[in-house]
Amino acid sequence: MDMISAVRENASPRARMGLRGIWQSPLRRREAMWGYAFISPWMIGFFLFYALPIVVSFGFTLFRFELSNPDGAEFVGLANWQRMLFNDPTVWESLFVTFKFALISLPIGLIMAFLLAVLLNSASLAGRNVMRTLFYAPTMVPAIAGILIWSQVLNPSTGWLNRGIEGITGLDVTGPNGIRWLDDPATVYIAYTLIGIWGIGNAIIINLAALQNVPTDLYDSAQIDGAGWWRRMYNITLPMISPVIFYNLVLSTIGLMQYFIVPFVLNGGSGFPEGTTNFYMIYFFKQAFTFTNMGYGATLAWLMFIIALLITIFLFGTARYWVYYSGERRDE
Amino acid sequence: MTSAARTDQIAEAKRQDINAWKIARQRRSILNRMAITTLAVILLSIYLMPLIYGITTSVKTDEQASTANAPILPADPRIFEWEGEEYDVFVVPTEEGISELALVNRGRQSSEFIDPANPEAGLITWEGSWRTLEPAWESAIHLENYPRAWNTIDFPRLLFNTLGYALVTMIGAVGASAFVAYGFARFRFPFKNLLFILLMSTIILPPQVTLVPTYAFFVTTLDWGGTWLPLIVPAMFGNAYNVFLLRQYFMTIPREMEEAATIDGAGPFGAFIRVILPQAIPALTAVSLFHFFFAWNDFFGPLIYLAGNRAAQPISVGLQEFNGLYNSEPQLILAASIITMILPLAIFFMAQRVFIQGIVITGVDK
């Protein structure tokens, strides 16, 4: 409720008894009591597993606390923060790796999901329902199984990707000088992005549903005005489904900051090749759970939290310039 | 020519024009249809290629799976039995063209072969080094990789652990989420909007920030390391995705139905159990499936909490460990991967409509 309507509400005779007064009516009180009763599981869970741990987690950052030696915990003030920000180059290297990969993989994933949704929404596509199911199916493949299959497909000499490239172009890419997708710093992000493409099913479905919700009369009138396919795409489709693109963008960004399973399964978090897969989450995992360094681990987690918060605020800040909500009244 | 005849002529010409235009349009739409469908089929085959690769490679021998120029489809090196001995068959370029011959006597400069199609002809001498020859293959499917992978990875144990985890947390998470969702869908109470925003913001909260103290608490204070409890207990309080989806669905159920139940003497709890839950079966199914797939896939939680207790491992962690141990036998790893995906894929194909509807609600309504 914005300020003006709140004031107005208070001025009206019905609400003269004030906000508190409403809840003094026995019926309303009973209703509120039932409401709280129903949401109580979540409130307890929120307190125990979100609110409390966030606060305690910040407390941890002020301690040197190793799980292997819990009694040796020691208050160190901001020493963990100082180490993280100024004396630990791995933090910045792993952040750089994470952002670099996100910048490659995020646009490719979002654009692929959008284009596939447009294709699957086309009235000219025969067998649309079967196609949709089949395009979604890889998303159902458990992550580890998918990664293991892809790592074989990307095998330089026996994998189908290189053999396919060789068959089509005639270049010798399966030999010792061929493309070593997962072993070459130049190609490893592309390879990881390919693996990630198998996970875009949800984004496709959401895009597709949004495309189906665009009112057809918008297209009809645009066609009468002589707008071609590209113009309709740019001036109608994209603005109309921008909320869904925004939703996918926010969720993928948060997900990519926590990128972990692929590098962990493929090379055990060793950073191979040449540290290019030493993602932030891998480093966090090592500090917190391999070295059981709870104090420093919590500090790394807090940095991730702050960065994720800043990025989310930034994304929501940009949203007003490009995300269009059709129910919304434009401010004059 | 009378003016009436003239009008007829014009009308006729117009009709012909319209017909020609209709035919052209039809033709164009058929072409369009063919082009777009072909494009989709090509993209789909590229997209599904790894799956096909996984299936075909899972029935190869390890020799074929790790040989660079082996045939793409499952096959064995061809062997010819002659006079009680087994000989490898090679692809040999001869004067009559390329033929598949069995190598009998290996020599540095020249070797002796026998033609499996015509062994009576006797030995054929071929000049050149046999080491330069490619082996001949004949198609063969090695289904035995599946039982081998099944036993090596101890699949029944992994399946039991994973199913137990998935089903227990599914019932808890979906039940709790339905409760919470009903509270948000139907009742008015102070700070409701604020609480709902808090609930939804947990979706974009990076889980690491709560993980370290939670882990320390579960593992040191409660001594729950190596058990499933740290993964099961937090699931019993519901989660934002499920609550959101169920709330959206509950809001579409007409209030009159609950009012009727209230008149019959049911309280809010009774109305929830007797009216809302039966009405919301599609949404509850979708949420249950989401949770089931999430649990089937869950990797990070089991990885950190079950470390050191192999007997409790779920499929995801077991498969990852298997990959480390059997690196040199890709066909076994692929067979194990395929075993892992059969159940989720089968459930998805059976329940895809309600499942996809659920994704749409969580994604588009927000």
Side-chain angles (χ1 to χ4, degrees):
Chain A
M1 196 190 290
D2 61 291
M3 196 90 91
I4 296 166
S5 51
V7 170
R8 239 180 245 148
E9 180 103 345
N10 274 337
S12 80
R14 253 192 78 224
R16 204 173 297 142
M17 49 183 168
L19 259 171
R20 281 179 79 172
I22 295 175
W23 306 107
Q24 271 160 11
S25 117
L27 216 63
R28 271 307 197 64
R29 256 211 322 262
R30 246 174 68 98
E31 185 183 339
M33 197 198 74
W34 274 106
Y36 286 127
F38 272 105
I39 69 163
S40 61
W42 170 71
M43 292 215 292
I44 296 168
F46 180 79
F47 178 74
L48 285 180
F49 300 113
Y50 288 98
L52 191 63
I54 290 180
V55 176
V56 176
S57 169
F58 186 77
F60 271 36
T61 67
L62 307 176
F63 282 83
R64 203 189 64 213
F65 173 31
E66 275 136 39
L67 216 54
S68 48
N69 177 21
D71 300 324
E74 182 191 350
F75 183 80
V76 291
L78 292 174
N80 282 323
W81 288 88
Q82 196 183 0
R83 173 182 169 196
M84 177 178 73
L85 295 175
F86 304 111
N87 303 325
D88 188 351
T90 316
V91 172
W92 302 105
E93 280 159 25
S94 60
L95 273 177
F96 177 72
V97 160
T98 307
F99 278 103
K100 191 174 167 193
F101 175 66
L103 283 179
I104 293 172
S105 150
L106 191 71
I108 294 180
L110 290 177
I111 292 170
M112 284 282 292
F114 173 71
L115 292 180
L116 283 177
V118 170
L119 179 70
L120 291 173
N121 191 40
S122 165
S124 305
L125 178 65
R128 277 200 288 182
N129 287 333
V130 177
M131 288 283 186
R132 286 172 189 173
T133 308
L134 289 176
F135 267 106
Y136 189 80
T139 304
M140 282 286 99
V141 171
I144 312 287
I147 294 166
L148 295 181
I149 290 178
W150 269 101
S151 78
Q152 301 293 336
V153 169
L154 295 166
N155 182 299
S157 56
T158 58
W160 277 8
L161 186 63
N162 272 3
R163 293 185 71 168
I165 293 174
E166 190 165 282
I168 291 167
T169 64
L171 299 168
D172 176 28
V173 294
T174 59
N177 297 319
I179 312 174
R180 314 186 71 79
W181 293 100
L182 295 165
D183 310 340
D184 186 342
T187 53
V188 68
Y189 292 150
I190 300 293
Y192 282 19
T193 302
L194 283 177
I195 297 175
I197 293 286
W198 256 22
I200 62 173
N202 284 347
I204 297 178
I205 300 281
I206 295 170
N207 273 314
L208 187 58
L211 288 173
Q212 288 164 347
N213 283 346
V214 179
T216 43
D217 50 325
L218 288 180
Y219 291 117
D220 293 344
S221 48
Q223 200 148 25
I224 289 166
D225 290 346
W229 191 87
W230 284 108
R231 249 195 114 73
R232 273 177 282 152
M233 179 60 68
Y234 188 76
N235 287 334
I236 299 175
T237 312
L238 280 175
M240 287 304 284
I241 74 161
S242 57
V244 152
I245 296 179
F246 179 68
Y247 171 82
N248 283 332
L249 173 68
V250 171
L251 282 197
S252 318
T253 309
I254 304 286
L256 275 170
M257 293 201 56
Q258 295 152 35
Y259 195 68
F260 176 78
I261 295 190
V262 176
F264 186 80
V265 171
L266 288 181
N267 50 45
S270 64
F272 176 82
E274 292 169 32
T276 46
T277 62
N278 201 355
F279 289 87
Y280 190 80
M281 184 66 187
I282 295 270
Y283 185 57
F284 164 76
F285 173 81
K286 274 192 214 162
Q287 284 292 347
F289 302 105
T290 310
F291 310 142
T292 67
N293 219 331
M294 296 282 111
Y296 196 51
T299 319
L300 291 171
W302 257 84
L303 180 65
M304 153 96 68
F305 176 47
I306 292 168
I307 292 174
L309 199 66
L310 290 178
I311 291 180
T312 314
I313 291 171
F314 170 74
L315 289 178
F316 274 90
T318 65
R320 54 180 301 203
Y321 298 108
W322 64 277
V323 181
Y324 172 77
Y325 291 98
S326 48
E328 181 185 65
R329 199 160 37 91
R330 277 287 182 94
D331 292 331
E332 303 305 327
Chain B
M1 206 183 277
T2 62
S3 73
R6 225 187 136 92
T7 333
D8 276 1
Q9 238 174 4
I10 292 171
E12 179 59 26
K14 260 188 187 163
R15 211 170 297 135
Q16 275 175 1
D17 267 6
I18 290 171
N19 274 340
W21 180 76
K22 270 187 180 160
I23 289 168
R25 197 179 64 168
Q26 220 165 27
R27 202 171 285 154
R28 215 173 49 216
S29 95
I30 290 172
L31 275 179
N32 236 335
R33 218 175 152 77
M34 273 165 56
I36 286 188
T37 309
T38 314
L39 176 70
V41 168
I42 292 172
L43 286 176
L44 185 68
S45 31
I46 297 173
Y47 197 59
L48 295 185
M49 177 270 282
L51 205 57
I52 313 291
Y53 171 88
I55 293 168
T56 51
T57 308
S58 71
V59 291
K60 291 177 182 173
T61 58
D62 67 335
E63 188 193 351
Q64 191 196 358
S66 36
T67 304
N69 287 313
I72 281 174
L73 295 174
D76 280 345
R78 200 171 152 201
I79 283 167
F80 178 61
E81 214 182 291
W82 184 56
E83 295 182 349
E85 299 273 344
E86 287 188 339
Y87 300 103
D88 294 335
V89 179
F90 288 87
V91 180
V92 187
T94 59
E95 280 140 23
E96 296 106 59
I98 291 167
S99 45
E100 295 194 352
L101 302 176
L103 177 60
V104 180
N105 293 317
R106 292 164 189 218
R108 203 178 283 263
Q109 308 296 331
S110 68
S111 299
E112 286 182 313
F113 289 87
I114 188 132
D115 187 355
N118 185 14
E120 284 75 30
L123 293 172
I124 304 162
T125 310
W126 180 77
E127 301 290 329
S129 169
W130 67 272
R131 287 179 193 281
T132 62
L133 296 173
E134 292 280 337
W137 298 81
E138 57 190 350
S139 67
I141 288 175
H142 290 270
L143 286 173
E144 70 269 18
N145 290 335
Y146 278 85
R148 244 191 92 198
W150 176 282
N151 292 327
T152 323
I153 199 173
D154 194 2
F155 196 75
R157 169 180 61 90
L158 298 178
L159 184 69
F160 175 80
N161 289 337
T162 314
L163 273 182
Y165 169 53
L167 293 177
V168 169
T169 54
M170 185 174 94
I171 294 166
V174 175
S177 300
F179 245 81
V180 176
Y182 187 59
F184 278 118
R186 277 294 195 270
F187 299 92
R188 286 168 297 181
F189 46 85
F191 307 114
K192 182 170 151 181
N193 284 341
L194 178 73
L195 288 170
F196 194 68
I197 290 169
L198 266 184
L199 169 75
M200 295 315 288
S201 65
T202 60
I203 288 181
I204 49 175
L205 181 79
Q208 293 77 19
V209 72
T210 58
L211 186 65
V212 173
T214 315
Y215 178 84
F217 177 69
F218 281 142
V219 171
T220 50
T221 314
L222 298 179
D223 200 18
W224 281 358
T227 74
W228 281 98
L229 289 169
L231 298 163
I232 290 176
V233 173
M236 296 297 154
F237 297 90
N239 75 61
Y241 271 109
N242 298 349
V243 170
F244 182 80
L245 198 154
L246 291 170
R247 170 181 165 270
Q248 294 301 93
Y249 197 89
F250 291 166
M251 293 200 303
T252 65
I253 300 174
R255 268 173 198 277
E256 287 75 31
M257 305 196 67
E258 286 146 275
E259 278 157 14
T262 317
I263 290 165
D264 290 348
F269 185 72
F272 170 68
I273 300 283
R274 290 218 301 266
V275 177
I276 294 292
L277 288 187
Q279 286 288 317
I281 294 215
L284 291 169
T285 315
V287 170
S288 306
L289 288 175
F290 285 149
H291 189 86
F292 182 83
F293 293 131
F294 159 78
W296 192 270
N297 244 325
D298 194 12
F299 179 73
F300 195 80
L303 180 73
I304 60 170
Y305 284 115
L306 301 175
N309 185 4
R310 284 200 71 221
Q313 273 175 353
I315 285 176
S316 55
V317 177
L319 190 59
Q320 186 254 340
E321 200 186 81
F322 186 70
N323 174 51
L325 296 173
Y326 289 84
N327 228 329
S328 57
E329 301 201 61
Q331 82 287 1
L332 280 192
I333 291 171
L334 290 169
S337 303
I338 287 174
I339 293 173
T340 312
M341 69 174 79
I342 288 173
L343 189 65
L345 276 176
I347 295 177
F348 165 68
F349 282 122
M350 282 186 300
Q352 46 164 313
R353 184 127 48 89
V354 61
F355 181 77
I356 284 179
Q357 196 55 42
I359 299 171
V360 170
I361 292 176
T362 36
V364 178
D365 285 359
K366 225 163 281 175

